[in-house]
Amino acid sequence: MPSTAFTTSGIGHAYGKIAALHSLDLDVPSGRIGLVGANGAGKSTLIKILLGILTPTTGTATVLGMDTRRDLVEMRSVIGYMPEGNCLPLDQTAADFLVYAAGTAGLPPRAARQRASEVLTLVGLDEERFRYIGDFSTGMKQRAKLAQAIVHDPKLVFLDEPTSGLDPSGRDEMLDLISRLGRFGIDVVVSSHVLRDIERTCDWVVMLDEGTLLDSLPIGGAAADDVVRVEVNEGSERIAASLRAAGADVEVDGDVLRVRHESIDVFDVIRDAAASSGTSLRRLGAGGATLEELFLQKGAAR
Amino acid sequence: MTDQAGAVYDLGYTPYEGERRGRAGARRTIFWDGVRRVLGIRRKARKKVLPWLLVGIASIPAVVFVGIAFFVPGQIADATPGPLAHAQFFGLGGTMVLLFTALSAPELLIPDRTDGVLSMLSSRPLTSGDYIATRFASLVAIILGFLLVPQLLLFIGQASTHRNGLFAGIVDSADVLPKIVVVAGIYTLAYVPLGFVVAGLAKRKAIASSIFLAGIFGLIALAELIVRNSTFAGGRWFALLSPVNTADASNFWVFGESNPDSLLQFANINPSIGLLALVVVGVLAVSFSVIRYRRLL
């Protein structure tokens, strides 16, 4: 498998006189890649160029080492795509549509039926396979969209706003499914304006703002490795005092604490401090700055 | 204690390592999906009603003929070429074909656009040209089938009335078969391109069907009006405006019969020129659709 998911070289695109992307140079490694930016940042345009739907006004792009124009058919045979909008025929059952989706990827009929069945089970639609898609809830439609994107076992799958319209539990399940794709050996490009979703599922992030590249970097590298970020519901000073008593270096910023500690079991230290101070934690994770903070910093510096 | 080792397998996802038929497989899948979709196969019951009703209505004359031939053989035995000769039968079924095309073309193209299925297909080994060519092929196959089934029923019905039996009847009338196929192809070429272009542009199926029917009847009226009343040189060439008139004229021409009502005959235009015009229009229609779909897939 190539170690590069996709590259762009001087990619630009304009819709008439409105420029959507400005000369983007990217070299993004395989893995789980987040594509973040506000609405209109150029995320969907970049994905459409990488899928070969749009021809860039300037520059070239490759996906898994294949040129998106010259090697279009070969490239499309190893990718999947879950669009933000609808891509499901409402008058077909989920099973029939998945068989069709697998067939259009070139799978023979018997294999297509088997893959459809397996993938519907994977996304939790096995009980609903013979229901018409028009009768599905929003969450079920999102799962069916993900299923069609992976039914042919692509090497790389583009997910455009995969949690759009989902309730909190549906969102959790979708993010969990996306995280699992990486373990199945499928590279993922997730486009989202919800930075926490990207933070939770991806190991690399590409930040776009108004069609320009803010940064492209590993999410682990987006923050200091030796810092743990703690968010509490209340009582930040109480837990800070407990942590300091345990030998930690603590910075407090409202409900957010940044904790440094020599111990390799720093998370255990924080747990014990929370228990001893009676503080409830809202969030606990590596990194001194969230992706959101980093994105705002980069945007402000532009 | 046991020394048997246990293992837990996550069967949630299995990579696919089997055969991949690539572009050809994708095109085959889309072709058969088109056929099934138009006929309502593996769709809700209400999707099946209209196409099968039209197929039934188009086949009624042939079925009646075959029925009479079987159950009351003396009635038709000496009626060759019969009251429903193939050329006349093509003319008789013209309206049904028109309605079936008005139903089929939008069903093939519009839901894929409005339901967003095209975006799914943009991650499949296909180009926009593949998609359009395959959908066009589906439509051609469906309309050809719609035209041929009643004709073949009629052919077998007529052959079965032969005094020496069905086989002898088929052998005796075998020269008609290629003509049937050619004329079915001509009618297909007359109706499909316009229906395809309209379906590629309209946003709703009902609107596409209405525009197609209005267009066909409008072209017939316009061609008749201009050709039969024109006082200027070259006005007769407006007969080629109407694909229906061209197909009707070619139908009788292929079967070696004359049609005094034919607009092409009135305009003194050889049907072969009309056929050439149909081919050109067909090529233009597919080319236009390919260009239109470049930004969609």
Side-chain angles (χ1 to χ4, degrees), chain B residues 1 26 36 69 135 137 183 199 208 247:
Chain B
M1 286 288 286
R36 281 195 298 269
R135 282 295 193 222
V183 173

Side-chain angles (χ1 to χ4, degrees), chain A residues 76 106 115 122 148 152-153, chain B residues 13-14 16 21 124 126:
Chain A
R76 283 183 168 181
R115 285 290 301 178
L122 178 77
Q148 65 75 24
H152 53 303
D153 190 26
Chain B
Y13 187 84
T14 316
Y16 177 72
R21 295 177 179 171
R124 298 296 188 267
L126 285 167

Side-chain angles (χ1 to χ4, degrees), chain B residues 142-158:
Chain B
I142 290 159
I143 302 302
L144 262 179
F146 186 85
L147 283 156
L148 284 174
V149 167
Q151 289 287 341
L152 292 177
L153 277 174
L154 181 67
F155 176 80
I156 291 167
Q158 284 186 329

Side-chain angles (χ1 to χ4, degrees), chain A residues 139-172:
Chain A
M140 288 156 67
K141 282 181 183 166
Q142 287 296 93
R143 286 163 184 266
K145 280 163 64 176
L146 179 63
Q148 65 75 24
I150 60 172
V151 70
H152 53 303
D153 190 26
K155 290 187 169 68
L156 170 67
V157 63
F158 293 92
L159 310 176
D160 198 354
E161 302 286 356
T163 56
S164 173
L166 294 179
D167 59 27
S169 70
R171 184 182 208 91
D172 266 355

Side-chain angles (χ1 to χ4, degrees), chain A residues 281-296:
Chain A
L281 303 184
R282 188 167 67 228
R283 189 165 175 274
L284 182 65
T290 62
L291 201 54
E292 193 172 342
E293 287 166 341
L294 199 70
F295 182 77
L296 292 173

Side-chain angles (χ1 to χ4, degrees), chain A residues 52-225:
Chain A
I53 300 173
L54 289 180
T55 305
T57 316
T58 60
T60 56
T62 67
V63 172
L64 300 173
M66 288 171 274
D67 188 281
T68 55
R69 305 306 304 167
R70 198 184 54 239
D71 310 317
L72 179 69
V73 172
E74 292 76 13
M75 184 269 290
R76 283 183 168 181
S77 65
V78 291
I79 61 169
Y81 175 43
M82 174 184 175
E84 181 181 7
N86 189 24
C87 69
L88 307 169
L90 306 180
D91 61 347
Q92 267 190 298
T93 65
D96 282 346
F97 176 60
L98 261 285
V99 171
Y100 174 61
T104 54
L107 272 63
R110 181 176 290 185
R113 280 193 292 275
Q114 188 176 341
R115 285 290 301 178
S117 173
E118 288 172 7
V119 172
L120 282 169
T121 303
L122 178 77
V123 300
L125 287 177
D126 47 331
E127 299 283 326
E128 319 292 339
R129 69 184 63 193
F130 299 121
R131 274 179 69 181
Y132 285 95
I133 293 170
D135 300 332
F136 275 13
S137 67
T138 305
M140 288 156 67
K141 282 181 183 166
Q142 287 296 93
R143 286 163 184 266
K145 280 163 64 176
L146 179 63
Q148 65 75 24
I150 60 172
V151 70
H152 53 303
D153 190 26
K155 290 187 169 68
L156 170 67
V157 63
F158 293 92
L159 310 176
D160 198 354
E161 302 286 356
T163 56
S164 173
L166 294 179
D167 59 27
S169 70
R171 184 182 208 91
D172 266 355
E173 287 167 6
M174 178 59 75
L175 293 175
D176 183 48
L177 271 171
I178 293 168
S179 300
R180 290 172 68 195
L181 291 181
R183 296 202 291 275
F184 302 152
I186 300 173
D187 289 338
V188 187
V189 176
V190 188
S191 160
S192 178
H193 60 270
V194 184
L195 301 184
R196 283 201 172 174
D197 290 355
I198 299 295
E199 214 165 19
R200 180 171 154 185
T201 51
C202 298
D203 42 38
W204 189 278
V205 64
V206 175
M207 298 177 181
L208 296 176
D209 186 34
E210 294 179 352
T212 57
L213 178 67
L214 288 182
D215 212 338
S216 172
L217 72 171
I219 285 186
D225 285 332

Side-chain angles (χ1 to χ4, degrees), chain B residues 163-220:
Chain B
R163 63 188 80 251
N164 294 326
L166 174 66
F167 183 73
I170 290 174
V171 171
D172 261 13
S173 318
D175 61 317
V176 176
L177 274 177
K179 291 178 182 173
I180 290 174
V181 175
V182 168
V183 173
I186 292 169
Y187 272 100
T188 303
L189 195 58
Y191 293 137
V192 162
L194 184 61
F196 201 70
V197 167
V198 171
L201 292 170
K203 288 184 177 169
R204 299 185 63 166
K205 289 188 278 186
I207 291 172
S209 301
S210 307
I211 292 174
F212 169 70
L213 291 172
I216 287 285
F217 288 119
L219 287 173
I220 293 173

